[in-house]
Amino acid sequence: MNAETLEALRNAVRGPVIGPEDSGYDDARKVYNGMLDKRPGAVVRCSDAADVMSAVRAVREKGLELAVRGGGHSGPGLGIVDGGVTLDLAPMRWVRVDPRARTAQVGGGGLQADLDHATHAFGLAVPSGTVSSTGLGGLTLGGGHGYLTRKYGLTVDNLLAADVVLADGSFVTVDGENHPDLFWALRGGGGNFGVVTSFTYRLHPVSTVGVGITVWPVERTREVLAWYREFLPRQAEDLYGFFAVLNVPPGPPFPEEIHGRKMCGVVWCWTGEMERLGDALAAVQEPGKPAFHFAAPMPYPELQSMFDPLLPPGLQWYWRGNFFDRISDAALDAHVTHAERLPDGLSTMHLYPVDGAAHRVGKDETAWNYRDAVWSGVFAGIDPDPAKAQTIKEWSVGYWEALQPHSMGGGYVNFLGEGEGEDRVRATYGDHYDRLARIKREYDPDNLFHVNQNVKPEDVRPAPQQ
């Protein structure tokens, strides 16, 4: 990235272009994961779709590496690239709600918190993730699951349209009728196909939800998880609960006597009638008396942001993930072993339900390949101390390796860790991979958008003559 190229980028866009010699460069290159320290040649803060179009053309003409950053939450840091250009969509954090049509259009840099705030005013919501600072772009393009998934499906099941800047710098709007193959690929195919400058979502009536947190001593992991695996899939889709192993954080709502203790537990969300919340969670006594149980009505955005204070930007992160259609007795053994080895601090394992409404969408309707998965698991090493980076990584990888034989073979694309390689990407997309590669060839034949969990363009060169 020489001075001439940097100046060409500045002339191409309206938003600021920040280079290594500029003040603010270190802040501009920061991402959510403090384990990553990448130094792009330039960070281009795009003010609108026109900036994205111009920047993509300039990057292509100069033959530069390109990364696209929305919220910056990518675990392996796929929103930033050493020496190349990061297109930062953070200035594009606008939301427009149409309460009559029950739709919301969101700028490409929008965060989950932006969407929750805007839609909650109308008593509406979109299924999304569980941390409000998550970027909607990466979340959506990977599929998107969270508290409303059993009731209303994945985020991509509620995506109605998208505005996209393609690899040649052109602009298209895609939906079920316009560029349907590209629209199919965007719904779970990651950032392989273009820069999405806006998303249009279907909204659902969600305002106040019932929130519950139940924890048991980690020594009860086997009994609690054995109960949970049978209990939750049989419940009405109004009840969602993700299973976790954790160190109890030092603060409310947890009582002081369990602060810092290793626990297993479930975080619940109830979208039914609030007077039935107690009945919906009455069964938490079945696997044994909890060490702590809390349940109360709560505005949906408050639930969505509940864990934000525990997970500020800059922590050390390493994660891996897998899909599961069952939790076998042998898997229980592995969970028990690694739960008891949980490092101190913020490291955790979550099993997120992806059944219910998500199962009523056909396997081939979107690029999300595992429609028969019941849980999406993530094994996340998290700690503020860089000296513990290797420890948390080893725990995450060890937990993942122990569960891999009991998994469905692939994982949620947003939970693939750094350096897992092409085989894991192929396993994640399964028999959808070849279709994605054909669509990639059509819309990005030179693989400009490759700083991601990459699907390579289909190779159509003739076989060599024998």
Side-chain angles (χ1 to χ4, degrees), residues 165-391:
V165 175
L166 302 176
D168 62 0
S170 63
F171 177 93
V172 295
T173 296
V174 303
D175 54 29
E177 296 181 357
N178 300 287
H179 302 275
D181 272 358
L182 179 56
F183 186 53
W184 178 88
L186 292 178
R187 288 176 289 165
N192 278 285
F193 305 96
V195 185
V196 181
T197 59
S198 80
F199 300 86
T200 301
Y201 300 101
R202 178 188 302 111
L203 302 178
H204 299 277
V206 178
S207 182
T208 298
V209 296
V211 176
I213 301 176
T214 314
V215 296
W216 296 260
V218 73
E219 296 80 14
R220 305 295 306 278
T221 298
R222 182 185 302 278
E223 299 98 299
V224 175
L225 186 51
W227 165 78
Y228 169 84
R229 70 181 176 183
E230 304 296 331
F231 170 75
L232 188 64
R234 297 198 306 262
Q235 303 309 301
E237 292 169 5
D238 280 315
L239 184 63
Y240 173 98
F242 73 79
F243 181 87
V245 296
L246 71 157
N247 296 292
V248 175
F254 300 105
E256 187 174 353
E257 59 266 24
I258 65 170
H259 287 178
R261 289 181 57 188
K262 288 182 172 60
M263 295 276 176
C264 65
V266 183
V267 177
W268 307 99
C269 175
W270 168 254
T271 53
E273 297 173 356
M274 287 303 105
E275 57 267 26
R276 295 178 54 210
L277 174 61
D279 292 339
L281 298 181
V284 300
Q285 301 293 329
E286 292 178 5
K289 184 179 180 182
F292 172 76
H293 174 67
F294 161 87
M298 189 178 292
Y300 179 64
E302 192 172 329
L303 167 62
Q304 289 280 73
S305 60
M306 187 165 61
F307 298 113
D308 289 9
L310 292 175
L311 301 170
L315 301 176
Q316 308 288 298
W317 282 81
Y318 187 87
W319 62 37
R320 289 196 179 185
N322 260 330
F323 287 123
F324 303 90
D325 58 358
R326 62 182 57 86
I327 301 170
S328 66
D329 288 347
L332 287 179
D333 294 338
H335 279 291
V336 169
T337 298
H338 289 275
E340 291 175 349
R341 295 175 182 170
L342 178 70
D344 293 337
L346 295 166
S347 296
T348 188
M349 186 285 301
H350 292 173
L351 290 172
Y352 297 105
V354 287
D355 59 338
H359 279 190
R360 293 195 291 277
V361 177
K363 173 182 168 66
D364 295 330
E365 291 184 45
T366 68
W368 175 280
N369 186 53
Y370 285 87
R371 285 291 174 178
D372 51 349
V374 181
W375 288 281
S376 172
V378 63
F379 314 92
I382 314 167
D383 200 281
D385 186 357
K388 296 181 179 178
Q390 189 61 30
T391 298

Side-chain angles (χ1 to χ4, degrees), residues 97-104 115-127 148 152 201-208 300-301:
V97 177
D98 183 337
R100 297 185 66 181
R102 288 188 175 178
T103 63
L115 180 59
D116 290 339
H117 171 77
T119 58
H120 184 68
F122 302 98
L124 300 168
V126 177
L148 302 180
Y152 295 121
Y201 300 101
R202 178 188 302 111
L203 302 178
H204 299 277
V206 178
S207 182
T208 298
Y300 179 64

Side-chain angles (χ1 to χ4, degrees), residues 34-102:
M35 197 179 287
L36 304 169
D37 185 22
K38 297 182 181 181
R39 302 186 66 85
V43 176
V44 180
R45 288 194 161 146
C46 299
S47 59
D48 52 25
D51 269 2
V52 176
M53 295 166 71
S54 298
V56 167
R57 291 189 189 110
V59 167
R60 187 183 184 92
E61 289 169 4
K62 297 291 184 180
L64 302 171
E65 291 279 282
L66 176 66
V68 182
R69 184 172 70 197
H73 267 238
S74 168
L78 299 176
I80 197 160
V81 59
D82 279 322
V85 173
T86 284
L87 294 191
D88 185 359
L89 306 184
M92 301 170 64
R93 285 181 59 181
W94 52 268
V95 181
R96 182 185 183 278
V97 177
D98 183 337
R100 297 185 66 181
R102 288 188 175 178

